[in-house]
Amino acid sequence: MERRQIALLLDSIQSSYPGKFVVQEPTRLLDSWERVLQKHDYEKVIRNFDRHLESSVFPPTIADLVKKRPLDRMDSIPSVDETLEYLRLIESKSEISEEAAHSIEESKAQIRKILGRS
């Protein structure tokens, strides 16, 4: 990012969060943000800022603006295909204890019930 773009970003943050993002020493703030943001893509940072605006009443930190992608809780839930693949992998392992095999079978039954399969 260029210094001018960072200055515009800081201005946008200040106007979007009135009273919550108060800049007392603009040059010092711009210098510190530039040190970090100069290696980041402007478009990506702006997308993250827009996303942040929609989800938070607090001003973003630099970390909020440069993170790779927003946390999406749905990404932590496996799809049906991922679950079936996991079940196939479990079934293919032959060196497991009887207790582990029983636990796996119980888990598979619960998953099948959730998926509506028998």
Side-chain angles (χ1 to χ4, degrees), residues 55-102:
S55 64
S56 181
V57 296
F58 299 104
T61 63
I62 292 176
D64 293 322
L65 299 173
V66 300
K67 59 187 168 187
K68 299 254 186 264
R69 78 185 256 212
L71 180 62
D72 184 354
R73 291 175 45 197
M74 290 305 292
D75 285 344
S76 62
I77 301 170
S79 68
V80 172
D81 291 335
E82 290 169 325
T83 303
L84 292 173
E85 179 61 26
Y86 174 73
L87 294 174
R88 278 191 285 281
L89 279 171
I90 291 174
E91 289 173 351
S92 69
K93 296 193 182 217
S94 58
E95 297 181 17
I96 55 175
S97 69
E98 190 173 316
E99 184 179 315
H102 180 69

Side-chain angles (χ1 to χ4, degrees), residues 2-116:
E2 299 172 4
R3 187 172 179 86
R4 178 185 55 77
Q5 293 171 323
I6 297 166
L8 289 171
L9 172 64
L10 289 169
D11 186 55
S12 295
I13 294 171
Q14 191 170 18
S15 63
S16 299
Y17 296 93
K20 294 182 180 177
F21 189 81
V22 179
V23 178
Q24 295 176 351
E25 296 182 46
T27 304
R28 225 168 113 186
L29 180 67
L30 182 58
D31 290 344
S32 64
W33 280 53
E34 181 182 26
R35 216 175 30 256
V36 176
L37 293 178
Q38 67 184 346
K39 61 187 172 216
H40 291 278
D41 178 61
Y42 175 72
E43 295 300 323
K44 180 184 140 199
V45 169
I46 291 301
R47 276 193 308 274
N48 283 345
F49 175 58
D50 290 344
R51 203 174 287 122
H52 187 86
L53 272 172
E54 294 175 0
S55 64
S56 181
V57 296
F58 299 104
T61 63
I62 292 176
D64 293 322
L65 299 173
V66 300
K67 59 187 168 187
K68 299 254 186 264
R69 78 185 256 212
L71 180 62
D72 184 354
R73 291 175 45 197
M74 290 305 292
D75 285 344
S76 62
I77 301 170
S79 68
V80 172
D81 291 335
E82 290 169 325
T83 303
L84 292 173
E85 179 61 26
Y86 174 73
L87 294 174
R88 278 191 285 281
L89 279 171
I90 291 174
E91 289 173 351
S92 69
K93 296 193 182 217
S94 58
E95 297 181 17
I96 55 175
S97 69
E98 190 173 316
E99 184 179 315
H102 180 69
S103 174
I104 290 169
E105 288 305 315
E106 285 180 349
S107 296
K108 288 180 357 183
Q110 290 174 351
I111 292 170
R112 288 185 183 110
K113 183 178 179 181
I114 291 169
L115 294 174

